[in-house]
């Protein structure tokens, strides 16, 4: 059984997908791009600021089902430019305590809406 998760504290899905799905004790959060959920507008700024917005959005989705980023066991970070890795990593580290979740970080050619970063995560109860 899978249960969709939705909150107005994170950007609405911009396609045929859910903000997150809960199944078998896991919550699969769709990739979050740096959109301000209050305005629906893309956030501008440094890659650190964009990383912050992506992770804040993911945290808000998890909060809707009583979880937090502390429940995250795996993340995937998609970067339009791997030269942004160090700055992204520094901001990312502020969101997770030890032990940090497993993570993949990959460079991609393009991302939705032309953003520079997208982050998805998997959390567990």
């Amino acid at each position: 059984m899978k249960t969709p998760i939705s909150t107005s504290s994170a950007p609405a899905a911009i396609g045929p997908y859910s903000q997150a799905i809960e199944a078998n004790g896991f919550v699969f959060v769709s990739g979050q791009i740096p959109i301000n959920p209050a305005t629906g507008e893309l956030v501008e700024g440094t890659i650190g600021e964009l990383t912050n917005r992506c992770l804040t959005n993911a945290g808000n989705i998890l909060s809707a089902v009583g979880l937090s980023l502390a429940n995250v066991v795996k993340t995937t970070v998609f970067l339009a430019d791997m030269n942004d890795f160090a700055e992204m990593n520094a901001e990312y580290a502020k969101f997770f305590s030890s032990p940090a979740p497993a993570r993949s970080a990959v460079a991609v050619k393009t991302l939705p809406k032309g953003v520079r970063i997208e982050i998805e995560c998997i959390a567990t109860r």
Side-chain angles (χ1 to χ4, degrees), residues 5-31:
I5 298 166
S6 181
T7 178
S8 61
S9 296
I14 57 174
Y17 61 90
S18 300
Q19 285 178 323
I21 291 286
E22 184 165 3
N24 299 321
F26 289 94
V27 175
F28 301 86
V29 178
S30 292

Side-chain angles (χ1 to χ4, degrees), residues 5 18-22 26-32 54 57-59 61-62 69 72 74 119-123:
I5 298 166
S18 300
Q19 285 178 323
I21 291 286
E22 184 165 3
F26 289 94
V27 175
F28 301 86
V29 178
S30 292
Q32 296 300 301
C54 292
N57 290 344
I61 292 169
L62 292 170
L69 291 173
V72 171
K74 171 72 166 81
I119 302 174
E120 65 182 23
C121 64
I122 301 169

Side-chain angles (χ1 to χ4, degrees), residues 41-114:
E41 299 295 321
L42 289 172
V43 172
E44 300 291 331
T46 66
I47 196 68
E49 292 166 326
L50 304 180
T51 300
N52 183 296
R53 181 78 260 168
C54 292
L55 289 171
T56 297
N57 290 344
N60 289 343
I61 292 169
L62 292 170
S63 180
V65 292
L67 300 176
S68 72
L69 291 173
N71 297 93
V72 171
V73 295
K74 171 72 166 81
T75 65
T76 305
V77 178
F78 302 94
L79 292 166
D81 185 347
M82 198 52 83
N83 289 320
D84 288 334
F85 181 84
E87 186 179 343
M88 173 282 297
N89 199 49
E91 185 65 22
Y92 176 99
K94 297 174 186 176
F95 284 83
F96 297 102
S97 58
S98 186
R103 181 181 78 189
S104 300
V106 296
V108 296
K109 185 175 179 180
T110 57
L111 288 163
K113 297 188 175 267

